[in-house]
Amino acid sequence: MGKKKRGHPDVEELLARPWCYYCERDFEDLKLLISHQKAKHFKCERCGKRLNTAGGLSVHMNQVHKETLTSVENALPNRQGLDVEIFGMEGVPDDIVQQHNQRIIQNFYTAQAERQAATGNPPRGQSGGQGPAKKIKYETPEELKKRLAEHRAKVAAQKAAAANGVAPATAPVDGQSPAQSASPFPPPQPGYPYPAPGVPGVPGVPPYPATQAYPPTAAYPPGPSPPPGATAPFPLPARPPSGPAAPGAAPPYYYNGPGAPPPGYPAVPGAVASTVDDLVANAARQGSAGGAADDIDQMIRMAEAGIRPPAAKNGTQAEEGGGAAGEKKKKEMRMVYADTEVSPEEKMAMLSRYRWVEETAA
Amino acid sequence: MAPATQFEVAQPPKDAISSLAFAPGAEKRRLLVSSWDRNVYLYEIANGAEEANLLGAFEHRAPVLDVCFGSSPDEAFTAGLDRQVKRIDLSTGEQTVMSRHSEAVRCVVYSAEHSLLISASWDSTLHVHNTANPSQPPMTIQLPGKPHAVAASPTKVVVAMTARLVHIYDLPTLASALSSSSQPAQPPQTWQQRESSLKFLTRAVACMPNDAGYATSSIEGRVAVEWFEDSAESQARKYAFKCHRQAAPEEEGGGDVVYPVNALAFHPVYGTFASGGGDGTVALWDAEAKRRMRQYQKFPDSVAALAFSLDGKYLAIGVCPGFETGMEDYSGEGRTKLFIRELGETEAKGKGSK
């Protein structure tokens, strides 16, 4: 194995890279990091002066512009605070350093495993044979359907058990679908990869994930509530802020304009495909129509959604319903104003506070 | 670097701001503000001092949805919820009704080049007035949907409606149709009919000062930039991007909170544009280089309206609570604010495309 590393640095190299507390970008060397921080995070938006620290900028804003700095610019949402004094790598809180390292390590192993799976090469310094599976295993829609059916039966059984008063204590483990446990890696955490601010440490992520399977439950909060596998796979949760949408009424979101709904978007108003059956049927139909790989991918995502409670929210489903139209996978989103037909002004105009009633001509 | 300052106007409207407009004629720093409190306010930015003085308020019968200046800094036109399009003489305060629609009037735009006043109403019509001849009744153009935003460039007027319809009219055509003897049997045709490049309800439209194209924004945190010219290469240049979004905290399920983009305004000199969103931020964009130039510090509430002064020196920012899905009631009282930002020399200057 005299071959070169092909540009994939090893963990130690990755961990040694300096990185920015405010935006998690990493850099070749400390000098670059510091100039990045000065340009991106500690630059005065009034006069362009670059300061060395957030505190310095705060003082500058105060003295020169008589303004108060409230947050660090261009920072990640939970890193905007002025309470930590950062300069280069100095001042980064220990727990944040650990989180960062954890993430680097996890990403590294995931990437490494993906490369191995994709190329079929054994890990460096190891002869082939007992490495991880050589190729990503693709399953036919039938196989997936069968597995989903099994999963559904299990869920139903658990539900029944729960209804009979048996606490589904083992649900999280049993509820794992084979698709999930067959994967040697934890599913990528949806959305933002860092623990919420205020959560001490990194309880969810085990240190140095092994490249072989480890109990996937570790990625979820332990304890019976909510039992990930025990909830119905596709509940229709109340849309948080979208007002009193009557069930069965046309969903106020997405494509109810004159533009025809894209293929794959459920045509029946209100019928966000609500059962795994529907979804499987849908996906299978599309699978036979063409673009099988895409549809299998979608089915896997759906299968995962069924057992991944934090991600399985309504918005995602609506998105995924539309996803068949070839749109790229979208993050779940929540619109502050979501009526696609009636403007906010029209709604305001109907409030008694503003309403105008034309005097009837006498 | 030249100073860039921002100040809050001392006497803001008492309720939500619907529109802002700076006066024509660079010597005057006059600013009109229409409000849901039934008034149109006229401010003047003090020379040298960081304040704007209230010159007058003009009361209407109902909330005012839009305002624009006419041919002089003493003439204004307003669009009212009371279905009237009004002309206000700002020096005397005299109000005359220009025309009546059968529903609330959403927008008014004035084209100084053609002496045309165009009003758009929720009765799905445009009224085109010849301001050079006020006695002449306005020409009515039927629209296929309710208009939500209208903007005029030197030769075009862009009307964004429900169902993502966008109609573009040619101003010279409208002007000649209006001046030709009596009312023509057929109102003039649209110059172009387009479908919005955005999938959601259009929130704002603004035209490029160089008459090349326009930008639209939607309730779904997105802005599209497109060009008037109907050639394939021009149309291939159009693009849209996401903005005015915030990552939701993980405990709320993560993902993005998506705010409507309520306001767009092009810088009259540099051709860059500003967008204001429900997230309370204003961002400056370089349409050519497709880059965000800057984003200003968050305002306390949703940004409802934006306007650049004609010389591009000032940016007026109307801030009030945004109307959100599920709201049963709404009031902008006490939370409506008006900010004026004096831009630095190169603050809004784009770098040009790379």
Side-chain angles (χ1 to χ4, degrees):
Chain A
M1 299 296 290
K3 236 182 157 192
K4 278 205 137 178
K5 299 191 273 189
R6 280 212 273 148
H8 304 306
D10 47 32
V11 218
E12 291 75 21
E13 284 168 28
L14 283 173
L15 286 173
R17 284 170 75 85
W19 54 278
C20 177
Y21 167 80
Y22 293 107
C23 63
E24 287 268 345
R25 244 180 92 168
D26 56 0
F27 296 88
E28 205 51 48
D29 62 35
L30 200 59
K31 259 194 199 144
L32 284 173
L33 167 65
I34 288 167
S35 63
H36 155 86
Q37 287 180 335
K38 285 168 82 169
K40 277 284 181 190
H41 306 302
F42 306 145
K43 185 168 152 185
C44 174
E45 61 161 15
R46 292 274 174 273
C47 66
K49 188 179 162 87
R50 299 146 159 243
L51 283 300
N52 273 329
T53 63
L57 179 58
S58 175
V59 170
H60 163 88
M61 295 273 277
N62 230 321
Q63 292 180 338
V64 181
H65 307 292
K66 310 275 180 279
E67 284 183 30
T68 341
L69 185 71
T70 50
S71 63
V72 176
E73 264 202 281
N74 304 315
L76 293 166
N78 53 349
R79 305 269 170 94
Q80 292 170 337
L82 299 168
D83 42 343
V84 275
E85 184 86 0
I86 303 284
F87 177 73
M89 286 299 295
E90 282 166 43
V92 184
D94 276 348
D95 55 328
I96 305 280
V97 173
Q98 277 180 9
Q99 275 177 36
H100 177 87
N101 289 349
Q102 211 71 73
R103 200 172 59 90
I104 296 286
I105 290 161
Q106 187 164 356
N107 285 351
F108 173 80
Y109 282 110
T110 314
Q112 188 188 54
E114 266 164 17
R115 281 198 303 275
Q116 282 167 15
T119 58
N121 293 338
R124 264 199 316 242
Q126 211 179 315
S127 56
Q130 71 274 40
K134 285 200 168 186
K135 291 227 169 80
I136 296 165
K137 199 176 146 201
Y138 284 107
E139 288 173 284
T140 62
E142 286 71 31
E143 281 171 334
L144 262 171
K145 195 173 171 183
K146 190 171 150 241
R147 287 217 319 243
L148 271 168
E150 281 167 11
H151 168 63
R152 217 160 35 85
K154 234 175 219 170
V155 169
Q158 277 161 13
K159 259 192 170 168
N164 290 338
V166 182
T170 56
V173 178
D174 292 341
Q176 290 290 338
S177 86
Q180 187 73 13
S181 18
S183 156
F185 314 111
Q189 293 291 315
Y192 201 63
Y194 317 110
V199 176
V202 200
V205 188
Y208 289 79
T211 42
Q212 291 305 312
Y214 63 85
T217 41
Y220 302 120
S225 67
T231 41
F234 290 94
L236 285 169
R239 294 176 183 144
S242 63
Y253 300 1
Y254 310 115
Y255 305 110
N256 47 2
Y265 186 71
V268 194
V272 179
S274 53
T275 65
V276 177
D277 261 349
D278 290 351
L279 291 169
V280 170
N282 256 334
R285 208 171 337 114
Q286 287 156 7
S288 60
D294 270 3
D295 290 323
I296 288 170
D297 183 49
Q298 196 191 347
M299 284 175 70
I300 291 170
R301 272 195 289 138
M302 285 174 173
E304 281 175 0
I307 48 145
R308 218 169 48 184
K313 287 268 169 63
N314 205 24
T316 320
Q317 287 172 40
E319 288 287 345
E320 288 182 349
E327 296 231 347
K328 41 187 172 190
K329 295 172 205 173
K330 284 188 199 151
K331 274 205 292 182
E332 177 180 344
M333 58 175 215
R334 183 165 68 84
M335 285 168 63
V336 159
Y337 185 83
D339 195 318
T340 59
E341 290 297 310
V342 182
S343 68
E345 284 77 17
E346 287 171 89
K347 299 215 166 160
M348 281 168 72
M350 290 196 280
L351 299 175
S352 58
R353 191 182 160 80
Y354 302 115
R355 193 180 319 163
W356 169 256
V357 184
E358 192 83 38
E359 313 104 85
T360 43
Chain B
M1 217 167 177
T5 52
Q6 181 174 305
F7 60 93
E8 191 179 332
V9 173
Q11 294 165 280
K14 289 185 275 301
D15 204 341
I17 289 173
S18 55
S19 176
L20 300 168
F22 269 100
E27 78 287 358
K28 301 252 183 179
R29 306 145 186 260
R30 284 186 163 191
L31 173 67
L32 277 175
V33 180
S34 62
S35 164
W36 285 80
D37 72 1
R38 294 157 208 257
N39 279 298
V40 169
Y41 297 84
L42 177 66
Y43 297 92
E44 187 156 49
I45 300 172
N47 204 350
E50 288 188 9
E51 56 183 29
N53 304 315
L54 183 62
L55 296 187
F58 306 89
E59 194 170 358
H60 287 57
R61 298 189 297 172
V64 188
L65 296 187
D66 199 6
V67 67
C68 67
F69 272 96
S71 53
S72 81
D74 279 326
E75 184 182 44
F77 297 104
T78 62
L81 203 58
D82 61 358
R83 308 175 180 181
Q84 291 181 343
V85 181
K86 275 187 178 171
R87 176 186 182 276
I88 304 177
D89 185 322
L90 296 175
S91 53
T92 64
E94 187 196 347
Q95 302 188 6
T96 32
V97 176
M98 300 284 290
S99 73
R100 286 184 173 83
H101 284 269
S102 56
E103 284 293 336
V105 191
R106 177 66 187 87
C107 308
V108 280
V109 290
Y110 177 75
S111 164
E113 289 87 345
H114 306 279
S115 300
L116 287 182
L117 174 71
I118 296 162
S119 60
S121 156
W122 287 336
D123 65 6
S124 298
T125 61
L126 289 182
H127 283 188
V128 185
H129 308 254
N130 181 2
T131 52
N133 181 7
S135 57
Q136 187 184 357
M139 172 171 68
T140 304
I141 296 177
Q142 198 64 40
L143 298 172
K146 278 185 183 179
H148 292 306
V150 177
S153 75
T155 64
K156 306 280 184 291
V157 58
V158 182
V159 184
M161 291 162 280
T162 29
R164 303 171 49 232
L165 294 163
V166 175
H167 279 195
I168 304 172
Y169 294 88
D170 186 46
L171 284 170
T173 313
L174 295 183
S176 63
L178 198 59
S179 59
S180 65
S181 59
S182 70
Q183 286 281 8
Q186 282 284 313
Q189 293 297 304
T190 54
W191 179 71
Q192 266 183 28
Q193 299 190 7
R194 294 189 183 183
E195 190 179 56
S196 167
S197 343
L198 303 169
K199 290 202 182 88
F200 291 83
L201 185 75
T202 310
R203 202 70 192 99
V205 177
C207 289
M208 295 180 193
N210 63 1
D211 209 11
Y214 60 96
T216 55
S217 70
S218 79
I219 55 167
E220 188 244 359
R222 225 177 265 262
V223 170
V225 179
E226 40 195 297
W227 279 263
F228 286 131
E229 197 188 311
D230 207 11
S231 66
E233 77 226 46
S234 240
Q235 290 310 304
R237 281 160 75 204
K238 72 179 172 195
Y239 62 90
F241 57 90
K242 289 193 242 183
C243 51
H244 298 284
R245 293 159 181 244
Q246 267 171 17
E250 196 68 40
E251 59 263 33
E252 285 173 25
D256 274 348
V257 182
V258 178
Y259 294 89
V261 182
N262 298 323
L264 291 175
F266 272 92
H267 190 281
V269 180
Y270 299 123
T272 52
F273 68 98
S275 67
D279 56 347
T281 60
V282 171
L284 273 184
W285 308 90
D286 185 337
E288 291 289 323
K290 301 189 186 176
R291 256 164 227 280
R292 186 173 80 189
M293 293 154 53
R294 52 191 80 228
Q295 176 153 357
Y296 299 127
Q297 263 184 21
K298 230 172 137 85
F299 292 97
D301 265 307
S302 170
V303 176
L306 291 173
F308 279 105
S309 65
L310 221 65
D311 55 2
K313 210 174 158 201
Y314 296 100
L315 174 63
I317 301 149
V319 173
C320 55
F323 187 91
E324 300 183 0
T325 296
M327 274 191 178
E328 303 272 305
D329 203 2
Y330 176 92
S331 166
E333 228 168 299
R335 286 167 67 190
T336 299
K337 295 186 168 72
L338 178 60
F339 294 89
I340 311 278
R341 187 179 178 86
E342 189 177 345
L343 301 182
E345 285 298 313
T346 56
E347 191 169 339
K349 191 170 184 209
K351 292 200 175 73
S353 46
K354 295 217 167 128

